[in-house]
Amino acid sequence: MSLGLLAGCQVRPLYGSLNGQHHSVSVSPADSRAEQTVRNELVLGFGGERANADYRLDLKVTSSVGGILPGGIDNEFSAGRATVTAIYALKSAATGETVASGSRFADAQLDLPSQHFAQERAKLEAVDRAAHSVAALVMADIAAALDR
């Protein structure tokens, strides 16, 4: 019975060889820390930097951190949420035609301790976690677009 279930499974690279062709993707330069994190994840996922890639991924990433769950005597926030949003367009390097475009976002929760440095560090780490999640979502979108 289990062999029958496994018969439908296929193991294929996430974005790689489709119909014998290997598709390479270059990612636009980053302008912020969150964008650099997303870019790094995508470049690694696409197999590294390519000088003459088949596709160009234009990427714009924004991040924000807001307080949630006010509490305590002064009604200060004790927890927060980091949100990272990526807007992307995958274009053919040869024609400039847009192959896929969209936006993805991810949230990461964080505790806001009373110490200022600890708060700033918690915010950075939460943005990094959300950026990694966004990169995975964008990577899946690109893989689906290249598989068509």
Side-chain angles (χ1 to χ4, degrees):
M1 167 115 175
S2 62
L3 289 177
L5 292 173
L6 292 176
C9 294
Q10 296 180 358
V11 177
R12 295 179 13 189
L14 180 60
Y15 78 100
S17 179
L18 303 172
N19 300 327
Q21 296 178 333
H22 182 74
H23 297 288
S24 58
V25 179
S26 67
V27 183
S28 62
D31 294 328
S32 68
R33 177 185 167 90
E35 192 167 81
Q36 186 67 49
T37 302
V38 173
R39 182 185 188 284
N40 288 350
E41 288 292 310
L42 292 172
V43 167
L44 287 173
F46 294 139
E49 296 278 359
R50 302 263 199 272
N52 297 318
D54 299 328
Y55 297 94
R56 185 180 76 245
L57 181 64
D58 293 331
L59 184 66
K60 179 66 179 161
V61 176
T62 59
S63 64
S64 64
V65 177
I68 57 174
L69 300 174
I73 297 171
D74 297 329
N75 212 22
E76 293 178 359
F77 291 105
S78 60
R81 173 182 302 136
T83 302
V84 174
T85 303
I87 300 170
Y88 66 90
L90 180 67
K91 298 179 179 180
S92 168
T95 65
E97 176 187 351
T98 300
V99 177
S101 63
S103 67
R104 291 297 193 156
F105 77 94
D107 290 330
Q109 311 307 316
L110 66 137
D111 288 329
L112 293 171
S114 60
Q115 295 176 335
H116 179 71
F117 178 79
Q119 279 187 13
E120 294 304 310
R121 189 69 218 157
K123 290 175 185 178
L124 287 174
E125 290 174 358
V127 168
D128 283 348
R129 288 193 317 272
H132 286 281
S133 296
V134 163
L137 294 171
V138 171
M139 180 73 74
D141 286 354
I142 301 305
L146 292 178
D147 197 28
R148 291 185 198 136

